[in-house]
Amino acid sequence: MDIFIKKNSQLPIYEQIVEQVKYQISEGILEPGSSVPSIRALAKTLRISVITVQRAYDELVKEGFIETIPGKGSFISENCLVFFEEEMTKKLEYHLQSVIKIARQLDISIHHVHDLLDYFNQGGDSDEGD
Amino acid sequence: MKAIEIKNLSKKLDAFHIDRINFTVPKGNIVGLIGENGAGKTTTIKLMMDVIERDSGEVRFFGKPLNKDLKEEISVVYDEINFYEKVDVVKINTILKHIFKAWDTTRYFGLINRFKLPKNKAIGNFSKGMKMKLNIIIGLAHSPKLLILDEPTSGLDPSARMEMLDLFLEFIQNEEHSILLSSHITNDLERIADYIVMMHHGKIILQLNKDELLYRYGIIRCSEKQFQRIPKNVIFAYQISNSIYEVVINNAPGMKEAYPELTIDRITIDDMMSIYIRGEK
């Protein structure tokens, strides 16, 4: 498992680990059932504290991405992709809710928002203007 | 289980006194004891190890007061080498394997080779960095469960310091192993320590999980007018220079939410110590 830490990031190191593991799961780099390094081994590789990795793993376990089997180690959970999809769906819902909030503030009708969605969906100009 | 547990450790000395110190080193962790030169770090270690007699308080290692058997399981590495200057690395091995029951000759020479220390050169001719490395290697070679190091990286250049950090992280790959490490170089501790204990004028001023410290604490730079609006209970310490207030706060995420207009920056252990020591509390 390759994790790269940005030292001067605003994002705490444990969150960087969580984000990178999730990203690698979504990209298929980390597959369900594959083993992940022990907390101490990863701390050593990254030259960071054990508690930092511990916190990242705790979060990944809590969210269902990693399973720990006592005496055997930690593994990417079989259902990791389901959890990833759930999380992304929540993210999508959250962003759509903010869209509606902003539209209301600007007094833009929901029909216009629909039209904008269609427009962007058909490859209309994005912010980056590529 | 705690590797070290210190309760109300006190000692009056001429220059200052160690004043009711309390802290613990959980098993399997690295704890960084930090403070300026003269804060009382070395004295604390010597008191723990009964090198200096304490006035009061209690120190327990693995749940027990220090005794002869426990001493075999604890390595203390001081900032100085205590060997006769004319001996060499090979001779040291011969001497120490008779002193320590669990002395590991293979490990000793393995580390000597890894850090490229000369085997037949009198240690009186070693550089300060080489002596420090040798000290740490000796500390590891008698197979301790607990490593106590006093300023282990102070005489070393950055690459040698990195090698030592690797060595410490290797040591705690075994969950039974723990490290207490004193330093005034906070950069190293910011990387590898699990807990930070801050010491000033013989007192512990703060002890905290390192990540909590780095992400819960923060620093606000602001005007006097803005300073007046910061709730007093979130202020850890502050200083004023050129009419700019630098305020260390203990609840950065909460303050960011409550006062989005304030400039809240991430904190380093150095900032925190220096504002505490030179500023107002």
Side-chain angles (χ1 to χ4, degrees):
Chain A
M1 188 166 77
D2 290 325
I3 303 274
F4 300 102
I5 297 299
K6 224 192 232 174
K7 269 192 82 184
N8 299 318
S9 168
Q10 275 297 315
L11 209 57
I13 291 174
Y14 60 87
E15 277 181 38
Q16 292 185 43
I17 298 172
V18 169
E19 289 309 312
Q20 287 190 38
V21 169
K22 285 183 189 170
Y23 172 77
Q24 293 188 21
I25 286 172
S26 73
E27 292 291 306
I29 302 165
L30 286 172
E31 289 177 351
S34 59
S35 71
V36 294
S38 75
I39 289 169
R40 278 161 203 276
L42 188 59
K44 180 171 164 274
T45 311
L46 300 178
R47 282 209 188 104
I48 57 172
S49 325
V50 169
I51 50 155
T52 304
V53 183
Q54 173 91 54
R55 184 158 175 185
Y57 276 33
D58 282 351
E59 201 149 318
L60 287 163
V61 168
K62 202 174 81 192
E63 293 178 24
F65 292 98
I66 283 184
E67 280 162 12
T68 301
I69 303 171
K72 280 195 155 180
S74 299
F75 302 86
I76 300 295
S77 72
E78 293 298 336
N79 293 324
C80 64
L81 285 167
V82 179
F83 291 120
F84 185 75
E85 263 179 49
E86 253 173 39
E87 193 180 299
M88 292 316 273
T89 310
K90 268 190 206 141
K91 214 174 190 173
L92 181 73
E93 286 167 0
Y94 171 79
H95 283 293
L96 285 175
Q97 281 163 359
S98 349
V99 167
I100 292 168
K101 213 160 131 193
I102 296 169
R104 280 183 185 150
Q105 276 172 5
L106 297 175
D107 220 4
I108 294 173
S109 79
I110 201 72
H111 292 292
H112 188 59
V113 174
H114 274 232
D115 289 345
L116 280 172
L117 268 178
D118 286 337
Y119 173 70
F120 288 128
N121 191 37
Q122 282 153 23
D125 281 348
S126 68
D127 274 354
E128 286 84 20
D130 55 1
Chain B
M1 167 75 109
K2 298 184 174 72
I4 308 177
E5 198 169 7
I6 298 174
K7 280 187 194 153
N8 294 320
L9 184 63
S10 298
K11 173 79 181 177
K12 264 203 166 70
L13 293 155
D14 293 341
F16 64 100
H17 73 278
I18 300 289
D19 191 8
R20 283 160 293 154
I21 281 182
N22 289 283
F23 70 86
T24 56
V25 176
K27 206 164 78 175
N29 286 127
I30 299 180
V31 175
L33 178 61
I34 68 169
E36 290 187 317
N37 290 327
K41 304 185 298 284
T42 305
T43 311
T44 302
I45 291 174
K46 289 185 171 166
L47 283 168
M48 284 164 51
M49 300 312 298
D50 292 341
V51 176
I52 305 175
E53 203 184 334
R54 70 187 79 134
D55 292 341
S56 59
E58 199 185 356
V59 180
R60 286 176 174 268
F61 297 93
F62 308 104
K64 286 179 254 156
L66 192 62
N67 60 38
K68 219 172 157 240
D69 289 338
L70 274 172
K71 277 186 182 165
E72 281 274 332
E73 298 185 332
I74 306 170
S75 265
V76 190
V77 178
Y78 292 104
D79 190 11
E80 66 229 27
I81 203 148
N82 297 318
F83 273 103
Y84 182 52
E85 299 257 300
K86 285 193 176 139
V87 300
D88 61 18
V89 158
V90 175
K91 181 80 181 150
I92 288 176
N93 179 64
T94 318
I95 300 167
L96 292 183
K97 73 179 177 197
H98 294 295
I99 296 178
F100 295 109
K101 273 186 226 147
W103 182 259
D104 185 344
T105 298
T106 316
R107 180 152 171 70
Y108 175 74
F109 281 111
L111 289 170
I112 292 289
N113 290 334
R114 174 166 153 192
F115 293 111
K116 300 189 178 64
L117 295 180
K119 290 196 190 77
N120 301 308
K121 188 172 171 177
I123 59 166
N125 297 323
F126 274 25
S127 69
K128 187 164 188 256
M130 286 158 79
K131 280 183 189 167
M132 199 63 217
K133 283 182 181 173
L134 178 60
N135 255 343
I136 295 170
I137 292 170
I138 292 171
L140 285 168
H142 68 81
S143 319
K145 288 208 300 212
L146 170 62
L147 198 53
I148 299 174
L149 306 127
D150 192 17
E151 297 280 353
T153 54
S154 58
L156 303 176
D157 59 47
S159 80
R161 272 169 36 208
M162 213 51 98
E163 287 177 325
M164 290 304 124
L165 298 193
D166 283 340
L167 201 53
F168 301 153
L169 286 168
E170 269 171 52
F171 179 70
I172 58 147
Q173 291 301 298
N174 182 333
E175 291 173 31
E176 298 294 312
H177 290 175
S178 322
I179 298 179
L180 172 67
L181 155 66
S182 88
S183 184
H184 64 271
I185 306 173
T186 54
N187 253 345
D188 296 343
L189 292 175
E190 223 162 280
R191 287 196 84 110
I192 63 160
D194 296 302
Y195 296 90
I196 297 290
V197 179
M198 286 189 187
M199 202 169 177
H200 184 54
H201 285 335
K203 280 193 162 96
I204 304 291
I205 56 171
L206 186 74
Q207 51 182 315
L208 204 59
N209 171 314
K210 197 258 317 271
D211 281 345
E212 289 267 303
L213 192 155
L214 295 182
Y215 303 120
R216 199 156 68 83
Y217 283 72
I219 182 163
I220 296 178
R221 295 196 180 81
C222 64
S223 66
E224 190 187 350
K225 212 173 141 198
Q226 286 172 313
F227 175 74
Q228 298 304 338
R229 296 177 46 219
I230 302 173
K232 296 289 162 277
N233 61 334
V234 303
I235 298 174
F236 174 71
Y238 68 95
Q239 69 178 13
I240 313 158
S241 52
N242 304 325
S243 76
I244 292 174
Y245 280 70
E246 287 191 293
V247 190
V248 179
I249 51 162
N250 62 22
N251 181 9
M255 287 296 287
K256 269 182 195 159
E257 213 162 283
Y259 301 88
E261 71 283 5
L262 285 176
T263 308
I264 304 179
D265 209 353
R266 286 265 296 273
I267 201 157
T268 63
I269 298 174
D270 266 341
D271 286 340
M272 206 159 159
M273 277 303 278
S274 84
I275 295 176
Y276 182 89
I277 290 166
R278 275 161 279 279
E280 322 276 328
K281 281 72 118 172

